[in-house]
Structure formats: C-alpha cells, structure tokens
Amino acid sequence: MDAAPERQDVAPEQGQGWLEERLGLRRVARRVLDRPVPEGVTWFHCFGGLTFFTFIVLVVTGIVLAFYYVPSPDHARASVAYIDSSLPFGSLVRNLHRWSAYAMIVLVFLHMVRVFVHGAYRKPRELSWVVGVLMLLAVLALGFTGYLLPWDQKGYWATNVGINIAGSVPVVGTYLADLLRGGHELGALTLLRFYALHVFVLPLLVGVGLVAHFAMIRKQGISKPL
Ligand code: HEM
C-alpha cells in the first residue's frame, strides 16, 4: 500500500503578512468576491451595492443607539434627547442612522428600477426579484416602525394613521391593528412591539433575504446589459 503523501507547507507569497500566512484570508476573500462582470455594466449597476452599504451603516449605528435608547413611553423621549445633546457624537450617530434610512429607501427603489429597465428579473433571475420584493417590504416596515421610536407627536400620529390603514384591510384588518398596537389603544405595548420588530425581526428578515439574494447573484452572475 502506498504511504500517504506528506503534508507540504505552502510557501508564503512575496510580501505576505504574518496574519495572511496563518489564516489565508486574502485567498478566501478572492474566492468569495472575485466574479467576472459582464461587459457594458454602468454606474446604474451600483445601486444594489450602495443599498447594501446603507444597510451596514444602519446596523452599526443602530447597535450604538440601542445601548442608550429606552423603549418605554416614560423614557423614550428623554433617552433620545440624551443621545442628541449629551452623548459624545450621539447626534452624529443618530443623524447617520436617520439619513441612511432615507437613503436606503431611495436607493432600493432606484435599484429596482434599474433591474426592471434592464429586464434582469427574467429567467433565471425570477427568485432574485421575488426575494427583492420581500426585502423591499421589510425595509419599508423598518422605516415605519422606526418612526414611532422617538415617541414624539409626529411619530405617534403617523403610527396611528398607519395602523388605522392596516385596520381597514378586509376580514383580518381589526385583528392586525390590535396585534400591532398590542390592544385597542396605542401605548406602551405598541412602542415595545415596534421596537422588537425594528431591532430584531425586520433586520433578521432583511439579513436572511440578503444571504439568499447574494447567493443567487453569485450563482447566476450579473445579467448582461441590454
Ligand atoms: C435590501 C435591499 C437590496 C439589496 C441590498 C440588493 C443588492 C443587490 C446587489 C448588490 C445586486 C448585484 C448588483 C446589481 O445588480 O445592482 C443585486 C442584484 C439584483 N437585485 Fe437586488 N438588492 C436589494 C433589493 C432588491 C429588490 C427590491 C429587487 C426587486 C424587486 C431586487 C432584484 C434584484 C435582481 C433581479 C438582481 C439581479 C440583477 C442582474 O443580474 O442584473 N433587489 N441586488
């Protein structure tokens, strides 16, 4: 029987760092990220990547905000005021979070228009489109739930209107509105539910959607521009 071949240590490439020699991260990154791009892609193809960038900014700034925000009617406004005026860089973090949210909504629509105009939703990319629509709904729901969190007049009444619209859906409307509010009145339970949706449920849905979206893009590649 032949003896098993001896393990060969791979010689480090020239200029390779200490960490790279041990972990080989550059090789992994190359394998994951380097994909051929079809000829003729334009700046309009950047909207998907820019949407992803705003999502990362939202997650990072959202984690910082979650260290200080208190989701209760008694403390929400005071905690937001503290972030705005007393926390070092708090107002910067909060504004980055807010403006990235607006930017993400604009960019995701631009991305969708780009995909539509290029007909990139057609076979074999139908599922990328379907997952995209589900993520779009989750992104809009993130904006809606986030609007209530400062617990100010604008957020309170806008949420009231939004929940009343949900309540007008035939058959399930009343149940849906009560589920969102946590009862018949908008109050502490509504704020807590919106907070849970905003920081756990919806980001998780978008995250899972992104994994599926990117896996499909990797498998199929970017469509050839028309
Ligand atoms: C969270 C939101 C989203 C992110 C971060 C995202 C990200 C991306 C990225 C980075 C690409 C590859 C580059 C590009 O074509 O732009 C892509 C492709 C694609 N996206 Fe999205 N996307 C999102 C939402 C959507 C939505 C709402 C739709 C449609 C309803 C959609 C449908 C597609 C399709 C069909 C492709 C393949 C395009 C092609 O092959 O030319 N995506 N997405």
Side-chain angles (χ1 to χ4, degrees):
M1 205 168 80
D2 293 340
E6 262 187 44
R7 239 194 86 234
Q8 295 279 317
D9 278 336
V10 181
E13 281 170 28
Q14 209 185 0
Q16 208 172 29
W18 185 90
L19 210 59
E20 181 60 20
E21 208 180 313
R22 276 142 191 88
L23 301 178
L25 292 179
R26 223 173 285 158
R27 210 174 324 135
V28 175
R30 229 178 286 143
R31 200 174 319 145
V32 174
L33 299 175
D34 277 9
R35 312 300 294 175
V37 174
E39 262 178 49
V41 291
T42 62
W43 287 103
F44 296 118
H45 286 76
C46 293
F47 290 136
L50 286 173
T51 310
F52 180 59
F53 176 71
T54 53
F55 181 65
I56 298 296
V57 175
L58 281 164
V59 170
V60 173
T61 51
I63 289 172
V64 176
L65 292 174
F67 283 138
Y68 297 94
Y69 174 75
V70 184
S72 88
D74 292 343
H75 299 102
R77 285 191 67 182
S79 61
V80 171
Y82 174 79
I83 291 168
D84 257 346
S85 47
S86 305
L87 183 70
F89 302 108
S91 147
L92 175 69
V93 173
R94 184 173 174 222
N95 279 311
L96 267 177
H97 194 75
R98 202 146 41 117
W99 285 100
S100 299
Y102 299 149
M104 185 173 184
I105 291 176
V106 172
L107 286 166
V108 76
F109 273 108
L110 290 175
H111 171 56
M112 206 166 100
V113 170
R114 195 291 288 168
V115 168
F116 182 76
V117 169
H118 284 173
Y121 51 82
R122 285 180 298 198
K123 191 181 169 188
R125 296 182 177 78
E126 306 93 323
L127 278 181
S128 302
W129 179 269
V130 172
V131 170
V133 171
L134 295 178
M135 285 196 294
L136 175 70
L137 295 177
V139 167
L140 294 177
L142 272 167
F144 179 57
T145 49
Y147 208 63
L148 177 68
L149 300 187
W151 201 246
D152 53 7
Q153 289 288 327
K154 248 187 342 175
Y156 183 92
W157 293 110
T159 305
N160 236 320
V161 172
I163 292 182
N164 285 343
I165 292 172
S168 64
V169 172
V171 189
V172 292
T174 317
Y175 175 72
L176 188 65
D178 283 352
L179 186 73
L180 282 172
R181 265 192 304 251
H184 299 311
E185 301 260 314
L186 202 153
L189 212 50
T190 323
L191 183 57
L192 206 55
R193 286 191 181 187
F194 272 48
Y195 180 69
L197 286 169
H198 191 77
V199 304
F200 299 118
V201 182
L202 295 167
L204 190 73
L205 284 181
V206 175
V208 171
L210 282 177
V211 171
H213 206 58
F214 290 159
M216 286 186 272
I217 292 163
R218 236 182 91 84
K219 182 164 163 39
Q220 294 148 0
I222 305 285
S223 64
K224 246 188 154 74
L226 297 175

